[in-house]
Amino acid sequence: MARSGLAGAARVARWADAALGPGRAGATADGKATLSPATAERAAGELDLTAAQVRAEWDTARLAGLIEVHGDRARPGWRLRAWDRDDSAVLRGWVALFDAWSLACPEPDGHEAAAVAEVVSAMPQVLSFLQLSAGPVPVDQLLDLLQQRVTELRTERCEVPYGPRPQEPEAEPEPAPAPAPEPAQGQAQEPPPAALAPLLDWALRALGAVGALTYGEGQATLTPLGSWAVWVKLEQICVAAQSPAGNIEQAAEDMLRGCAQLRPNAARAEYRAWLAARPVGSAITELLGAARGEDALLRGLAFEALRVVGAPAEPEVRAVLDEPALRPYALLWLAEHDGVDPEDAHEVLTREEATWLWVDTAAAVADHGEAPMLVRHLESALQPTVPALLDEVRAVGHPRTVQVLVALAAAHPDPALAKAVRRAAFQVHTGGS
């Protein structure tokens, strides 16, 4: 369903990739990602569509992350690059469109922006109700639910009238019908259904336009794709609420430290909970920031967490290939992301990169592990002999080389080998060979 619903947008995005790339004519006329009339007509002629259809698919492609617009230039998003080989990229693209349903269709005229915002904020509860109902739900029932939720939102903001009541007139008024009861203290007044009905109609039509539900004959029903998306979001809320080790509110660096002593499966559960509680873009930025720090253990754990993130992290991981401290980790991550067996992924590293990674891992063990672990780490080196390893370790120029060699010399039970390692550490420290 996602591929079918986004097929037109993907087609326009591929056309834009070929026709509007660097050095070619600009995509937009106003620098605001709006397709220029000339470009829309050109695309319509080449794709056998109308200009209106091209504009609609262009907007859909932008919301789904298939196209990224920078100034007057368009470039393909990572989802378009992964479209044919990665189903998760397709689903994430559709979820991005689903999340942006209120932008996919303009709201009706004549409504205050605050009222529109309230309805947008209330719709997740309406969608959850549709998902749990697992079938058609009358619109009148959804309107009641929307009215209750908007009232709750207003109550949370304490929108209660304050100040003195108007003075009663001195003359005795004519008998009048009893006034409606005042809302209780702290309880906002319910919005009238007549004011919400047009906005609910707009919301349901917009969600229908993106493929999340069907709407007609006075009832609405989630599509299988819409039901799946709502279920995933409910599941994310539950995962975030059940953070196993309680690190969900911590910054990335503190969260990773909290996961350092967990078993792999428990750590991955903690990563999932932490990621579910924040936007994926900022989470990736935080994790890479932690990886750039001095603690080598956090560097490795950050990339383990990025493995849980998966495909959305690919552009950012690829962007750090030029950073020597992160390059080996990024190369392994990208190899595994492309389907290489984790046991064979090390083959993508050069000898120098593998040696640098060995030193970085040894630094993590020296800082956080025990002496026997560091001795065992010596056995994982690519070099067949200790002298060969020491020669290459000195050559790669890792900033922690001296500390690693000193720790290894102190931990190793063989006095002759320990002496050779200490000599190597001294030579690195003094700049000798």
Side-chain angles (χ1 to χ4, degrees):
M1 284 188 70
R3 283 191 182 279
S4 174
L6 292 173
R11 185 176 177 224
V12 169
R14 288 196 176 97
W15 177 87
D17 183 21
L20 305 178
R24 298 181 177 89
T28 65
D30 57 5
K32 298 180 180 178
T34 303
L35 203 61
S36 66
T39 305
E41 292 293 343
R42 176 186 167 196
E46 295 183 17
L47 297 175
D48 196 22
L49 299 170
T50 66
Q53 288 173 322
V54 169
R55 289 182 183 278
E57 298 294 2
W58 170 269
D59 291 339
T60 298
R62 285 173 48 225
L63 293 175
L66 299 175
I67 293 174
E68 297 176 0
V69 177
H70 301 270
D72 63 348
R73 292 189 177 182
R75 69 182 185 193
W78 69 266
R79 291 180 182 129
L80 184 65
R81 295 298 191 207
W83 195 258
D84 294 327
R85 60 179 171 81
D86 189 349
D87 287 343
S88 68
V90 179
L91 289 173
R92 287 178 182 276
W94 185 84
V95 169
L97 177 65
F98 170 63
D99 287 341
W101 65 265
S102 60
L103 303 178
C105 297
E107 68 269 17
D109 296 329
H111 294 274
E112 293 182 359
V116 175
E118 287 175 339
V119 171
V120 172
S121 298
M123 283 308 292
Q125 188 164 331
V126 174
L127 290 168
S128 298
F129 182 75
L130 280 166
Q131 204 278 335
L132 294 170
S133 299
V137 177
V139 172
D140 290 344
Q141 194 172 355
L142 297 178
L143 184 59
D144 288 342
L145 179 62
L146 179 64
Q147 184 180 20
Q148 294 172 23
R149 181 57 184 148
V150 169
T151 301
E152 291 172 0
L153 291 171
R154 292 181 179 180
T155 301
E156 291 169 4
R157 295 197 303 269
C158 298
E159 289 189 1
V160 181
Y162 292 98
R165 295 176 180 273
Q167 295 292 326
E168 296 289 338
E170 293 183 4
E172 188 172 326
E174 293 293 328
E182 292 286 341
Q185 183 70 22
Q187 175 69 41
Q189 189 170 2
E190 287 191 354
L196 291 179
L199 290 174
L200 176 62
D201 178 74
W202 159 69
L204 294 176
R205 291 185 185 281
L207 287 161
V210 301
L213 52 79
T214 57
Y215 172 45
E217 299 181 358
Q219 60 187 19
T221 310
L222 284 181
T223 63
L225 189 58
S227 181
W228 166 81
V230 175
W231 174 254
V232 167
K233 291 182 180 297
L234 290 172
E235 187 178 43
Q236 287 175 341
I237 293 171
C238 294
V239 168
Q242 297 173 6
S243 168
N247 293 301
I248 186 172
E249 295 182 1
Q250 302 293 329
E253 188 171 323
D254 293 330
M255 180 273 293
L256 294 172
R257 282 201 176 91
C259 294
Q261 303 303 321
L262 299 179
R263 299 175 71 85
N265 286 341
R268 281 191 288 271
E270 191 72 2
Y271 301 149
R272 283 193 292 270
W274 187 84
L275 291 164
R278 46 193 40 80
V280 66
S282 62
I284 294 169
T285 300
E286 271 199 66
L287 289 170
L288 288 174
R292 291 186 177 97
E294 296 182 359
D295 194 329
L297 177 64
L298 298 191
R299 196 157 22 255
L301 292 176
F303 277 86
E304 286 299 320
L306 288 168
R307 286 178 174 84
V308 175
V309 176
E314 181 181 355
E316 286 82 357
V317 172
R318 201 173 291 281
V320 303
L321 288 174
D322 293 334
E323 300 182 36
L326 303 186
R327 179 176 174 81
Y329 293 95
L331 288 171
L332 293 176
W333 190 98
L334 290 167
E336 293 176 28
H337 177 64
D338 289 339
V340 177
D341 190 295
E343 293 186 0
D344 300 328
H346 67 276
E347 296 177 2
V348 304
L349 303 179
T350 65
R351 183 77 163 221
E352 292 76 12
E353 290 163 349
T355 302
W356 197 102
L357 183 61
W358 184 90
V359 178
D360 205 51
T361 308
V365 176
D367 289 342
H368 302 278
E370 300 176 353
M373 293 178 61
L374 193 57
V375 174
R376 287 197 298 272
H377 185 62
L378 183 62
E379 300 171 359
S380 68
L382 295 176
Q383 292 75 7
T385 66
V386 171
L389 170 65
L390 296 176
D391 287 343
E392 295 189 32
V393 163
R394 286 197 296 261
V396 296
H398 192 289
R400 296 290 304 280
T401 299
V402 172
Q403 294 94 325
V404 165
L405 293 179
V406 168
L408 182 58
H412 206 284
D414 185 334
L417 189 147
K419 182 178 179 180
V421 173
R422 275 194 299 272
R423 185 185 304 115
F426 179 76
Q427 290 170 346
V428 174
H429 176 64
T430 59
S433 59

